[in-house]
């Protein structure tokens, strides 16, 4: 449904942020983009054409004032944004992946995360599905944000048979209802500890991939993560490799 009059605050003018801005503008919200740098080139032109507000410089509470929804850049640690928000505003944070997922129309998702190998795995999976005659959308953390697919669907583009998504720990941190039909965790090793406060938070983020699945869905993990996976009590049908 449309939500006229609300204010969407986008954390950054990278591709995912702009994709979210276009989607939310299509849904009737006003758009404000906050970024460390002044807009330039195509970004500046789009903001001017669309009438989007653009605030540059370090984050402040004023930048988020009046927001109905806050879509942070996946590369910015959440505490850096939450430090400028009231407790009530923290509940308004929705990641780009979660936002787009809420607008899907039942398309099945094959989602892949892991410390390494994500891009190769989703690329091969998409190629296999296409070879089997499926219409495939390949995106997420690789190439095209999911919001771009959703916006194109709203404008009449054909529906994909399968969405193949690469998903990062940054994206998963802001997911609450994201539900893949098939979820794959390739591996976990120490990484991104400049973004996550410790290894436990990093692991928690990765395992968010499985939280909203049920017994009719499939979770695929390496055998060496069996003990860790059992600690999380995965609700899906679990397969180990």
């Amino acid at each position: 449904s449309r939500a006229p009059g609300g204010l969407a605050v986008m954390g950054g003018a990278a591709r995912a942020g702009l994709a979210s801005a276009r989607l939310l503008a299509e849904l009737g919200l006003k758009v404000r983009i906050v970024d460390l740098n002044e807009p330039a080139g195509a970004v500046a032109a789009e903001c001017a054409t669309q009438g989007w507000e653009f605030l540059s410089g370090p984050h402040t509470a004023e930048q988020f004032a009046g927001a109905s929804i806050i879509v942070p850049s996946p590369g910015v640690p959440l505490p850096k944004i939450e430090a400028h928000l009231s407790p009530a505003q923290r509940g308004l944070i929705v990641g780009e992946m979660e936002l787009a997922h809420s607008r899907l129309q039942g398309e099945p998702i094959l989602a892949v995360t892991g410390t390494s190998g994500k891009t190769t795995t989703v690329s091969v999976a998409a190629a296999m599905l296409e070879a089997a005659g499926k219409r495939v959308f390949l995106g997420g953390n690789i190439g095209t944000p999911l919001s771009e697919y959703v916006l194109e669907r709203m404008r009449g583009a054909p529906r994909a048979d399968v969405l193949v998504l690469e998903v990062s720990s940054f994206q998963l941190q802001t997911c609450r209802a994201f539900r893949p039909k098939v979820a794959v965790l390739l591996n976990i090793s120490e990484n991104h500890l400049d973004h996550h406060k410790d290894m436990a938070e990093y692991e928690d983020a990765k395992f968010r991939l499985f939280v909203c699945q049920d017994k009719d869905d499939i979770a695929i993990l390496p055998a060496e993560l069996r003990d860790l996976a059992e600690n999380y009590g995965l609700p899906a049908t679990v397969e180990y490799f």
Side-chain angles (χ1 to χ4, degrees):
S1 61
R2 295 176 63 85
L7 172 63
V9 178
M10 322 307 301
R15 186 170 182 178
L18 292 175
S20 300
R22 295 178 191 120
L23 174 57
L24 289 165
E26 185 78 7
L27 292 169
L29 281 84
K30 296 180 291 184
V31 170
R32 176 189 298 158
I33 297 176
V34 299
D35 198 294
L36 287 174
N37 303 308
E38 292 281 352
V43 173
E46 183 168 10
C47 287
T49 301
Q50 300 296 333
W52 296 344
E53 184 180 11
F54 196 109
L55 302 180
S56 60
H59 287 323
T60 65
E62 289 72 24
Q63 290 176 335
F64 301 98
S68 303
I69 182 172
I70 298 169
V71 185
S73 168
V76 176
L78 287 178
K80 288 190 175 182
I81 293 176
E82 291 172 339
H84 305 286
L85 305 179
S86 68
Q89 284 183 307
R90 292 174 189 176
L92 303 176
I93 294 176
V94 178
E96 182 273 332
M97 181 81 70
E98 181 84 345
L99 169 67
H101 177 267
S102 72
R103 296 287 166 174
L104 294 178
Q105 298 177 12
E107 296 93 326
I109 296 172
L110 164 60
V112 179
T113 195
T115 302
S116 59
K118 297 186 293 296
T119 299
T120 300
T121 302
V122 294
S123 299
V124 172
M128 293 169 69
L129 288 161
E130 287 171 348
K134 303 294 185 183
R135 186 189 298 275
V136 177
F137 169 80
L138 172 62
N141 194 51
I142 174 179
T144 308
L146 185 57
S147 290
E148 290 190 18
Y149 167 81
V150 172
L151 184 57
E152 290 303 309
R153 283 282 294 128
M154 291 172 64
R155 293 174 175 174
R159 180 183 189 272
D161 296 314
V162 184
L163 308 179
V164 180
L165 304 178
E166 176 182 323
V167 189
S168 72
S169 61
F170 306 160
Q171 291 169 316
L172 286 167
Q173 273 193 302
T174 51
C175 284
R176 299 293 178 269
F178 182 67
R179 180 187 173 186
K181 182 65 179 174
V182 178
V184 183
L185 173 57
L186 298 172
N187 46 57
I188 295 181
S189 58
E190 190 169 299
N191 198 20
H192 296 309
L193 296 186
D194 56 337
H195 183 102
H196 298 287
K197 66 180 181 181
D198 53 30
M199 194 63 187
E201 183 181 280
Y202 180 52
E203 290 172 351
D204 286 346
K206 289 297 189 187
F207 274 88
R208 289 209 61 79
L209 186 66
F210 308 104
V211 167
C212 293
Q213 291 188 296
D214 66 23
K215 61 182 177 57
D216 295 323
D217 302 319
I218 300 172
I220 301 175
L221 305 94
E224 59 265 27
L225 292 182
R226 182 187 296 267
D227 290 345
L228 182 60
E230 289 179 352
N231 288 339
Y232 282 91
L234 306 188
T237 299
V238 182
E239 300 285 350
Y240 292 102
F241 65 89

